[in-house]
Amino acid sequence: MTAGTRDQWRGWRAAAQDALYAPDGFYRRAGAEGPAGHFRTSVHASPLFAGAVALLLCRVDEALGRPEVLDFVDMAAGRGELTGGVLAALPADVAARTRAYAVEIAERPAGLDHRIEWLAGPPEGTTGLLFANEWLDNVPVDVAEVDSAGVARRVLVREDGTERLGEPVDGARARWLERWWPLPGEEGLRAEIGLPRDEAWAAAAATLRRGLAVAVDYGHTAGTRPPFGTLTGFREGRETTPVPDGSCDITAHVALDACALPGGHVLPQREALRALGVTGARPPLTLASTDPAAYVRGLASAGEAAELTAAGGLGDFGWLVQPVGIPDPFRA
C-alpha cells in the first residue's frame, strides 16, 4: 500500500477498502488462481453448486414466462468459475437464451468463455437471477468496540494492523447498531456496522427489473450476533490476523437479516441446496456390481453434496432470497 497510508489511523471500512480494492490491493493481485488460492468457497468445493444455481435459474426462467433473453448476473465472480459452471449446466434451450454477466473488479481472465460479459458493476434493468456468492462479506464495514465507560467507539487501525479506539459511534451508524446489533455496556464487546452492506445489497437488487436476487454468505441474525465480532483475514488457504496492507483477504460475517429488503428471507444453505436437488444421498449398493464406475461417481457426488450441506461448515451459510416481481421459488 502507499507510504501515505502506512502510519495513518483510519476506520476499518476505509482501511479494508484500500487493502482489498486499491490498484495494488488483494483482489487486484490475488494471482492467476484468484481468490480460490486463498480460501475455499462452495463454487470451488463441487460442480454440484453451479448445477444447483443453474436449476434455480431455470425455475426463475419458468416464473418469468421464459423470456426471450434471460439474464444471469454473478456478483464477485472471482475468475468466472460459477458463471462458466452455470452456463455448462443449463439445458441447451435455456443456455441459448441466457445472457451471462460476471461482475468483478479484477481483469478478465484469459480464456474465459466468450459468452460471458465481464463487468465492474452489475448491469441495470436485468430480467433473471442475480447471484452473489460470498460478496457481501467483502463489502468493508467499520468496527465498533465498547470502551471502559460503556461507550461504543469506532475502532481505528493502521496498515500494520495495530488498533486503537476513536470517536464514539454516531449518526446513521449508531442508529444501525441500535436497531440491528445493540452493544451492552461491557468493555471489549465488538460489532461490525453492516450499514454499507445493506446499501450495497439494496443497490444490487435494484438493478433487477424482474427475477430473483440471492446473496450467499456466512452470516448471523439478531438472535445469534457474536459478542466480539467476526473480522478476520485469509491468506493462502489459512485464517490469519486481518492486516489491511493488501497481503490478505479481509472479511466479516454478514448481518443477513439487516440486509433483507421487504419480501426477502434467509434460509440455511443446506435447506436451499436440498430444495435444488443436492441431497447427499449415497448410490444404491447394488449399483456397485452392475455399474461400478457409476457407483464410484455417485459416491464422489454424495461426498461433495455432504460438504456443501454440512453443519458447522458450508451448510451453515445463509441464503438471502429476494424475489423481484415473481413468486419466491423457495416458498412455492
Side-chain angles (χ1 to χ4, degrees):
M1 307 303 288
T2 65
T5 63
R6 190 163 298 133
D7 298 320
Q8 183 180 353
W9 290 101
R10 300 187 291 170
W12 267 105
R13 181 184 180 190
Q17 182 70 32
D18 278 354
L20 296 177
Y21 304 117
D24 59 345
F26 175 80
Y27 277 101
R28 301 281 190 180
R29 55 182 182 83
E33 76 282 8
H38 297 270
F39 51 86
R40 180 176 172 85
T41 74
S42 297
V43 177
H44 310 121
S46 170
L48 292 174
F49 189 79
V53 177
L55 177 56
L56 180 58
L57 179 59
C58 289
R59 292 182 180 177
V60 170
D61 182 42
E62 291 295 331
L64 289 167
R66 297 175 58 83
E68 183 178 343
V69 175
L70 177 68
D71 295 312
F72 175 66
V73 181
D74 179 12
M75 298 291 297
R79 294 299 184 265
E81 301 96 331
L82 177 61
T83 324
V86 168
L87 285 175
L90 288 173
D93 63 315
V94 180
R97 292 184 289 110
T98 297
R99 185 166 52 191
Y101 301 95
V103 179
E104 182 58 72
I105 65 162
E107 294 296 320
R108 180 188 181 96
L112 187 69
D113 190 321
H114 71 277
R115 295 174 295 173
I116 300 172
E117 187 169 347
W118 195 263
L119 300 174
E124 296 287 339
T126 50
T127 299
L129 175 63
L130 181 144
F131 200 86
N133 186 61
E134 296 198 48
W135 168 50
L136 289 175
D137 67 311
N138 284 129
V139 173
V141 292
D142 276 316
V143 178
E145 181 175 321
V146 179
D147 68 10
S148 59
V151 176
R153 293 183 176 272
R154 195 161 67 110
V155 176
L156 305 181
V157 63
R158 291 194 310 198
E159 193 174 301
D160 64 1
T162 305
E163 292 184 340
R164 70 173 174 85
L165 297 187
E167 74 282 3
V169 178
D170 61 5
R173 290 178 295 195
R175 291 190 293 273
W176 190 93
L177 279 180
E178 183 179 3
R179 170 68 179 86
W180 292 109
W181 198 333
L183 286 171
E186 181 181 336
E187 184 177 6
L189 295 183
R190 287 169 68 118
E192 290 106 26
I193 305 172
L195 181 60
R197 293 168 173 179
D198 300 356
E199 295 169 343
W201 179 243
T207 64
L208 272 176
R209 181 180 295 114
R210 289 181 68 219
L212 187 72
V214 178
V216 180
D217 250 307
Y218 264 131
H220 42 70
T221 54
T224 59
R225 304 284 191 233
F228 301 105
T230 62
L231 188 73
T232 192
F234 284 93
R235 183 188 296 115
E236 298 178 354
R238 296 180 181 275
E239 189 168 4
T240 186
T241 301
V243 178
D245 61 359
S247 68
C248 66
D249 184 31
I250 296 173
T251 180
H253 296 187
V254 183
L256 288 168
D257 50 347
C259 293
L261 300 165
H265 66 103
V266 179
L267 71 161
Q269 173 154 297
R270 69 180 62 85
E271 292 182 17
L273 290 182
R274 286 170 183 164
L276 295 168
V278 180
T279 64
R282 293 169 62 90
L285 189 58
T286 54
L287 190 63
S289 56
T290 60
D291 191 341
Y295 181 72
V296 170
R297 290 194 300 270
L299 281 179
S301 178
E304 293 171 2
E307 181 181 3
L308 289 171
T309 58
L314 295 174
D316 288 346
F317 272 66
W319 281 41
L320 170 54
V321 177
Q322 197 76 52
V324 180
I326 66 169
D328 187 333
F330 292 99
R331 288 180 166 171

